Amino acid sequence: MAALTRHAFLSGALARYSPILSRPTNLLVVPARGTKVKKPPQKPKKKATFDAFFTSIESKGFLRPYKPYNPAKDASQRLDSVCQSVGVSSNDETRIDDLLVRFKLFAKCVEEFEHSIPNSKLITIQTIGDLREFYRTPVITTTPYEALQNIELPPNLYIQPEANRFHPDTDKMFNGKTAFPQSATLVTGLKYKDKYPGHRPEKPWPIKVHSVFDH
């Protein structure tokens, strides 16, 4: 009798919540051990181009220390001569897969154009057409701040190209004294460390360090 009553109670409860249980739910299906799970197909990655490479650098607000390069008008013809000397076809569709051929060709190009290929660009050069595009692309190392000096600016705007740093040996307007005697002008960057001398001020009074043995 008790079992029959319990069965009737559960039947009524399930009937009451049947609309909720009948709704589709997002269940986490765990595969059985040893079952291989197929991964969804991934989209092929787009090949990096030279324009996208330099555009990403410009968007970061700084330029890497690349050597400036201005391609010659006959860069394409000179590249054809380099390919002929190495024994490689100058067709743009020719692939450069052999490592020894790549080394000889790139070394000859560096000698011819005086412009080396950075390590980050070696993987993007797969064909002669990629190599031709690289040596026909100029490398401009002028920062946006330096470029402002070569354009006509409004009369209320002035660009100071060189940094103005205080140094007691060169600034003699107030006998080499500054309004901030305790502030140091240190140049920590490797690029400007030799261009702008730093200065560390001396303490105007000696500082005595007390120890526990003075008492």
Side-chain angles (χ1 to χ4, degrees):
M1 189 67 179
L4 183 60
T5 305
R6 185 167 60 253
H7 175 71
F9 174 77
L10 293 176
S11 300
L14 292 176
R16 192 183 312 128
Y17 294 104
S18 58
I20 300 177
L21 297 177
S22 61
R23 295 177 184 175
T25 57
N26 296 328
L27 299 179
L28 178 61
V29 180
V30 180
R33 181 177 298 180
T35 305
K36 295 183 178 180
V37 180
K38 294 184 179 180
K39 296 182 179 180
Q42 298 181 356
K43 296 181 179 180
K45 295 182 179 180
K46 295 182 179 180
K47 183 180 178 182
T49 59
F50 297 101
D51 295 337
F53 176 70
F54 288 106
T55 302
S56 64
I57 296 179
E58 293 177 357
S59 62
K60 295 177 182 178
F62 66 93
L63 294 177
R64 297 183 181 180
Y66 284 125
K67 181 181 178 181
Y69 171 71
N70 188 18
K73 295 181 179 180
D74 58 343
S76 183
Q77 291 77 8
R78 291 166 63 181
L79 180 60
D80 294 341
S81 301
V82 170
C83 293
Q84 185 178 1
S85 63
V86 180
V88 180
S89 174
S90 59
N91 189 359
D92 289 348
E93 302 298 329
T94 303
R95 294 190 58 83
I96 320 172
D97 296 329
D98 189 86
L99 296 181
L100 183 59
V101 175
R102 288 174 65 91
F103 176 78
K104 292 181 179 180
L105 181 61
F106 293 169
K108 195 68 176 179
C109 289
V110 172
E111 181 181 353
E112 175 69 24
F113 296 99
E114 296 182 357
H115 179 49
S116 60
I117 305 174
N119 295 336
S120 58
K121 303 304 299 176
L122 290 175
I123 193 174
T124 63
I125 300 179
Q126 302 293 335
T127 63
I128 296 296
D130 298 336
L131 187 62
R132 192 185 307 276
E133 181 184 358
F134 175 80
Y135 280 105
R136 294 179 61 181
T137 303
V139 178
I140 302 174
T141 59
T142 304
T143 61
Y145 183 79
E146 296 172 346
L148 291 176
Q149 307 173 31
N150 303 324
I151 63 176
E152 185 178 357
L153 300 175
N156 61 339
L157 182 61
Y158 173 75
I159 300 298
Q160 181 176 329
E162 301 295 335
N164 187 10
R165 307 182 69 90
F166 171 80
H167 198 278
D169 297 338
T170 57
D171 298 333
K172 300 296 184 181
M173 181 177 293
F174 299 101
N175 297 326
K177 296 182 180 180
T178 175
F180 307 96
Q182 297 299 311
S183 299
T185 56
L186 300 180
V187 183
T188 57
L190 298 177
K191 184 177 180 180
Y192 297 102
K193 194 170 184 179
D194 296 334
K195 186 176 181 179
Y196 302 109
H199 169 64
R200 187 186 298 272
E202 297 180 358
K203 299 295 181 181
W205 54 82
I207 300 177
K208 183 179 180 181
V209 180
H210 297 277
S211 63
V212 293
F213 300 101
D214 294 341
H215 301 285

